Amino acid sequence: MPWNSCQRCHKLLAIVAILSALVIFALPQPALAQVPEAASRSGALPHSPLTDPAIEKRVDALLKQMTLEEKVGQLAQYSSGAPTGPSAGNADYPSMIERGEVGSLFNLDSARAANQYQHIAVEKSRLHIPLLFGLDVIHGFRTTFPVPLALASTWDPAIVEKAARIAAQESSAAGVRWVFSPMVDIARDPRWGRIVEGAGEDPFLGSVMARAYVRGYQGKSLSDKESVAACIKHFVGYGAAEGGRDYNTAEISEHTLREIYLPPFYAGIREGSASLMSSFNTLNGLPATANPFTLTQILRNEWGFPGLVVSDWTSVGELVPHGIARDKAVAAQKAVTAGIDMDMVSDSYHQHLADLVKSGKVSQTRLDEAVRDVLRVKFALGLFEDPFTDESHEIQGALPKERVEVARLAAERSFVLLKNSPAGSRPILPLTSEVRTIALIGPLADDARNMLGPWAGRGRPEDVVTLKTALEQKVGANKIRFAKGGELQTASDAEIQKAVETAQKADVILLALGEEADTQSGEAASRAYLNLPGRQEELLEKVAATGKPVVLLLFSGRPLTLPWAFEHVPAVVAAWFPGIQAGPALVRVLFGDEPPSGKLVVSWPRTIGQIPIYYNALNTGRPPENTDLTHPPQNSVEKYLSRYIDEQNSPQFPFGFGLSYSSLEYSQTHVDSAKLHASDKDIQATASASVRNEGNRAVDEIVQLYVRLTGTSMEEPVRKLAGFKRISLAPGESRTVSFPLGAEAFSLWDMQNKLRVEPSHVQLWISPDSSRGLPAELEIVE
Ligand code: NOJ
C-alpha cells in the first residue's frame, strides 16, 4: 500500500482502526487485554515534529513545482570529505547542486564548507531548496563523550540526553543539522565491532537510551537552530550478524524481531526521531534495504513513521552483490519500492530513478512520497527560513567547562568495577592518597587518541586528559613510575622487561591495557578472538608475577575474554573508551572521590565459544542447575542437559553486573497484588524491595527489576528487564525502591505476533544484576 502523505496516513490509520475494531467485536475473543496504545506499536506518534499540517501544506506546494529530475535530486545523498565507507559517489557536487541533483551531503568538516555548498543550493538552483548536511556524530561532535556502550553502562538517561544535546549544539554550529545516531541495534555478540556503538543486549534499556538520545538531539523543537535531526539506525537486525562478522546475514524470527530487536526503534520513533537508516544485512533472506515487511509494513503502516528513511552507505547499490538486483537500476527500483527514500552514496537513484518513473516501474506516487519525507524534515528544521550557519559559533579554542564537566561525569558513571579483591587487609580499591609509589604501565596509560574511541566525530586528541596526566595532578609526578610496556599490537622484550622492573619498585600497579579504538572496535572491526592484542597478556602476566597489587584498567569497545586475568588480578575495571575526560574520571573513581557505579549492559563471556550469550535467553527443556566443571555429570539424568562439557554456562559477569566500594543488602522482593486480571485494561501492580548500604562508603546503585512470565502461549525469556533506578545511599542508609508495573511489563508477543497480556504466572526480581535475588510471585488470571 502506498504510504506517506500525512493526510493519507491518518485516513489509513482510521480505516485500520475501524476494521480492527470490527474484527475484534465480530470474532469470539478470549478475555485477554490488548496492551494499551502506547505499548501496542500502533497509533499516532505523540512527539513527532513532522506531523504539522502547516508543513504539509508547504511540502505540497513545493512538490507541485518540482520536475521529475528535481524530485530525484532530493533523494540523492553524497559524501564530501573523509569517506566513512568504501569510496564511491560523484565528485562534481557544485554543478550537481546547481542543477538540483543533490538533496543532502555529509562528512563535511566545517560550517564554512557547508555554507559554500548551501549558497549554491539556495541561490543558484532553480527552486532554491536547501541542502541537508549530515554526519556520524555518535558520541559527541568535538566534546567526545564515552562510547555509546559506555554511555549505556551509566544506566543514566539524563546524562545521555545532556551529552546528546551538547553534541547537537556543536554539530549545528558546524552546519550539521542531521546526525546519524543513535545506533539502537541490539547486540548479543561481542565479536561484532559495532557492539560499541549501541546500548548492549537489552531491549528495555536500549529503548530508554534511544529516547534519551532523540530528546537530546532534537531538543524541544527541531526548528531551534541548535537542534539536529536524529537518525535511528540500522533498521533492522544488523546486530545479529552471523558469527559477529560485520555486514553479515541475520536470521531472526518475526517473534524475536518484535520482542527483542524492534523495541528500541519503536521507542526512538515514538520519541519523535525525524529519520531512520536501513541496515546492510540480509534479514530472513531479504536485504534490509529492500525489505517491504520492515520498511513499509512495520515502519509506516503499523507505526505510522512520518520521517525520512535513508539507506546506509551504498546499501542500495549493494543489492547487486546481494544477488537480488541484476544492476543498479533494479536495485534502485527495489529499494525505493520497499521504502527507502534517500540513497546514500550509491548513485543508483540519481542514475536510474527518473527512467524508472517514466517507464512506470516506480510509481509517481511512491516517488512523491519519498520526496515529501525529505522535504518535511528540511521544513521542520527551519532550513528554508535559515539555511546558513553562523561560522563564528564553531568552537575553535578550548572546550567550555560545562561541557567538559558532563564528559567527566558521564565517564565516571560508565566505569564498571568487575573485580576488587583484598590485597592485604582491605580491597585494593579505592586507592588512598597515602600510597607512596604507583607504577603506571601500559600502552594506553598516556594515549590520547585511543581514549576518544571509534567514531569520534570531530574529537581532538589534544582535548583529552590522559590517565598519566590526571594521576600526576592527583598525587604528584614524583610518585609515579611510568613504563609503556610496548605498543598495543607489538612490544619488544626490552619494553616488557622495563615494565616489570618499574612494577617491582612500586606499591601498587595500574595497568592500562586494551584495544586500538579505530582498528579493533567499531565498523568493519569484528574480531574472531577477544583477547588482548599484541603481547599485552604476556605483559600483564609478567607484571602480576611481581606479586605487587595490580589494578587492571581495560579500555575496549566490547567485553574481552581474559579468564587468567579475572582469576589472578585482584582488581579489574572495564573503562571502555571514556572520551576526553578519561584520566580525571578514572582518577576520581580509583581514589574513591566518586563511587564506581556503572553496570554491564552486555553479558561478559568467559570464552568466545559461549557466544552468542545473553541473559534474556529462553529456557531449554533441559536446563542444568549447576554447570560447575568440578562437578561433571554423574549419571544420565545429569548428563543429558543443555551445557558444555568444557565450560560453564554462566558468563564471566552477568548483564547488569557491577561492583561498588561498599556492600549492599537487598531485601526480598515484594509485590502488592497476588492476582491480576488479563482482561483488566488498567492492569497494575507495584513491586518493591529495600536496599541497604551495609558498608562505610557512599554508593550509587542501579537497582534493577526483572520479570519472567510462564504458562504463556509463547515461551518467554528466563528474565527480562522491566525497570531500573539509579539511587544514592549513604553508609548505613536504607531505601525502599518501588516499580509500578503496567501492561507493558506483563505483555508478550503471541503466536499471531500481537502484543498481549495473557493469563500467566509472574515472577519479579528486584536485584543488583540479572543473576541474583529471589522472586516475588503473582498470578495473572483471565
Ligand atoms: C556506514 C555505517 O553503517 C553508518 O552507521 C554510517 O552512518 C554511514 N556509514 C555513514 O558514514
Side-chain angles (χ1 to χ4, degrees), residues 410-476:
E412 283 166 9
R413 292 177 193 173
S414 74
F415 303 139
V416 183
L417 180 60
L418 296 173
K419 189 176 173 196
N420 191 19
S421 306
S425 58
R426 57 178 286 275
I428 190 166
L429 292 175
L431 302 172
T432 70
S433 317
E434 283 100 71
V435 62
R436 278 169 308 162
T437 47
I438 300 175
L440 178 63
I441 294 174
L444 291 170
D446 195 25
D447 178 326
R449 172 61 197 92
N450 279 299
M451 292 302 105
L452 294 174
W455 286 117
R458 297 291 179 255
R460 300 179 186 179
E462 59 267 31
D463 290 335
V464 173
V465 182
T466 66
L467 178 56
K468 180 163 175 282
T469 306
L471 203 58
E472 286 171 353
Q473 279 163 5
K474 172 80 180 173
V475 296

Side-chain angles (χ1 to χ4, degrees), residues 33-306:
Q34 290 277 3
V35 174
E37 183 265 320
S40 71
R41 298 5 181 196
S42 68
L45 296 169
H47 301 294
S48 180
L50 303 176
T51 47
D52 177 352
I55 288 184
E56 219 50 36
K57 261 193 167 165
R58 296 177 73 184
V59 170
D60 281 341
L62 183 53
L63 202 66
K64 283 200 188 109
Q65 301 174 51
M66 295 172 79
T67 63
L68 176 57
E69 286 70 23
E70 283 164 339
K71 288 179 180 175
V72 172
Q74 287 305 306
L75 310 182
Q77 185 191 42
Y78 297 100
S79 164
S80 167
T84 45
S87 56
N90 211 324
D92 186 17
Y93 301 133
S95 52
M96 288 167 67
I97 295 168
E98 194 173 331
R99 292 195 300 271
E101 291 173 9
V102 180
S104 167
L105 283 181
F106 67 112
N107 285 340
L108 274 66
D109 59 8
S110 64
R112 191 149 171 268
N115 282 342
Q116 280 169 352
Y117 283 123
Q118 197 68 296
H119 274 290
I120 305 176
V122 300
E123 286 158 13
K124 297 197 173 162
S125 75
R126 190 180 75 93
L127 290 173
H128 319 293
I129 302 175
L131 292 163
L132 175 55
F133 299 107
L135 189 71
D136 288 287
V137 177
I138 307 300
H139 49 113
F141 180 86
R142 162 102 185 263
T143 306
T144 308
F145 299 97
V147 287
L149 190 67
L151 281 176
S153 306
T154 64
W155 299 61
D156 186 348
I159 198 117
V160 172
E161 183 177 337
K162 273 191 195 149
R165 191 69 203 148
I166 292 169
Q169 288 160 341
E170 294 181 358
S171 306
S172 56
V176 173
R177 298 294 305 280
W178 186 16
V179 294
F180 305 138
S181 169
M183 186 191 99
V184 303
D185 294 304
I186 295 293
R188 294 170 156 184
D189 190 334
R191 292 171 299 184
W192 189 51
R194 303 196 79 172
I195 194 170
V196 68
E197 280 181 69
E201 72 191 33
D202 184 70
F204 182 90
L205 183 68
S207 300
V208 171
M209 292 300 163
R211 286 198 292 269
Y213 280 103
V214 173
R215 277 197 304 275
Y217 290 140
Q218 300 196 167
K220 290 204 174 67
S221 163
L222 259 192
S223 64
D224 177 340
K225 278 220 82 166
E226 291 195 334
S227 290
V228 296
C231 182
I232 49 172
K233 67 187 190 183
H234 307 83
F235 201 62
V236 54
Y238 188 31
E242 283 177 0
R245 204 181 71 221
D246 213 351
Y247 317 119
N248 205 5
T249 304
E251 201 70 27
I252 308 170
S253 72
E254 183 177 342
H255 177 77
T256 304
L257 199 62
R258 290 187 184 275
E259 180 130 340
I260 305 290
Y261 290 89
L262 289 174
F265 287 93
Y266 181 70
I269 284 174
R270 282 195 73 84
E271 200 61 47
S273 180
S275 72
L276 168 142
M277 187 185 293
S278 73
S279 57
F280 289 119
N281 57 286
T282 291
L283 174 66
N284 302 335
L286 193 55
T289 292
N291 198 318
F293 175 63
T294 51
L295 291 171
T296 298
Q297 167 58 26
I298 293 181
L299 185 65
R300 304 290 195 187
N301 299 358
E302 289 183 28
W303 297 353
F305 180 57

Side-chain angles (χ1 to χ4, degrees), residues 369-636:
E369 286 169 354
V371 179
R372 281 171 180 283
D373 290 344
V374 175
L375 295 179
R376 205 176 283 135
V377 173
K378 291 186 175 182
F379 277 114
L381 284 165
L383 289 177
F384 284 86
E385 287 71 30
D386 201 353
F388 299 108
T389 306
D390 182 338
E391 291 169 28
S392 69
H393 288 179
E394 220 171 341
I395 317 173
Q396 299 301 348
L399 288 168
K401 255 168 79 191
E402 325 76 68
R403 296 185 186 172
V404 174
E405 173 90 359
V406 177
R408 181 176 57 74
L409 271 177
E412 283 166 9
R413 292 177 193 173
S414 74
F415 303 139
V416 183
L417 180 60
L418 296 173
K419 189 176 173 196
N420 191 19
S421 306
S425 58
R426 57 178 286 275
I428 190 166
L429 292 175
L431 302 172
T432 70
S433 317
E434 283 100 71
V435 62
R436 278 169 308 162
T437 47
I438 300 175
L440 178 63
I441 294 174
L444 291 170
D446 195 25
D447 178 326
R449 172 61 197 92
N450 279 299
M451 292 302 105
L452 294 174
W455 286 117
R458 297 291 179 255
R460 300 179 186 179
E462 59 267 31
D463 290 335
V464 173
V465 182
T466 66
L467 178 56
K468 180 163 175 282
T469 306
L471 203 58
E472 286 171 353
Q473 279 163 5
K474 172 80 180 173
V475 296
N478 57 331
K479 286 191 177 179
I480 313 292
R481 310 277 178 272
F482 173 63
K484 196 170 177 192
E487 303 300 324
L488 286 167
Q489 320 249 22
T490 54
S492 66
D493 290 347
E495 285 170 314
I496 294 181
Q497 183 52 29
K498 180 163 178 251
V500 172
E501 283 161 18
T502 307
Q504 271 155 350
K505 288 183 221 133
D507 298 329
V508 62
I509 298 156
L510 297 184
L511 249 180
L513 306 180
E515 297 183 302
E516 185 164 83
D518 272 337
T519 62
Q520 294 178 320
S521 178
E523 188 178 351
S526 291
R527 299 183 63 197
Y529 303 95
L530 297 181
N531 48 356
L532 283 166
R535 293 179 72 184
Q536 294 183 69
E537 283 181 34
E538 185 185 339
L539 174 69
L540 167 68
E541 291 181 24
K542 290 196 166 143
V543 165
T546 61
K548 301 283 175 151
V550 173
V551 180
L552 171 59
L553 305 169
L554 283 176
F555 297 89
S556 63
R558 49 159 73 84
L560 300 175
T561 52
L562 300 170
W564 187 91
F566 293 123
E567 195 178 337
H568 295 98
V569 177
V572 186
V573 178
W576 317 112
F577 292 115
I580 53 167
Q581 281 285 289
L586 269 167
V587 165
R588 280 172 59 79
V589 171
L590 292 174
F591 283 86
D593 300 324
E594 185 67 26
S597 62
K599 296 218 181 192
L600 293 178
V601 296
V602 281
S603 303
W604 192 295
R606 294 171 191 275
T607 162
I608 44 177
Q610 292 179 310
I611 297 170
I613 184 166
Y614 47 94
Y615 85 97
N616 47 359
L618 302 183
N619 218 2
T620 67
R622 296 183 180 190
E625 252 170 41
N626 182 355
T627 59
D628 184 345
L629 297 179
T630 57
H631 293 97
Q634 300 299 311
N635 51 45
S636 62

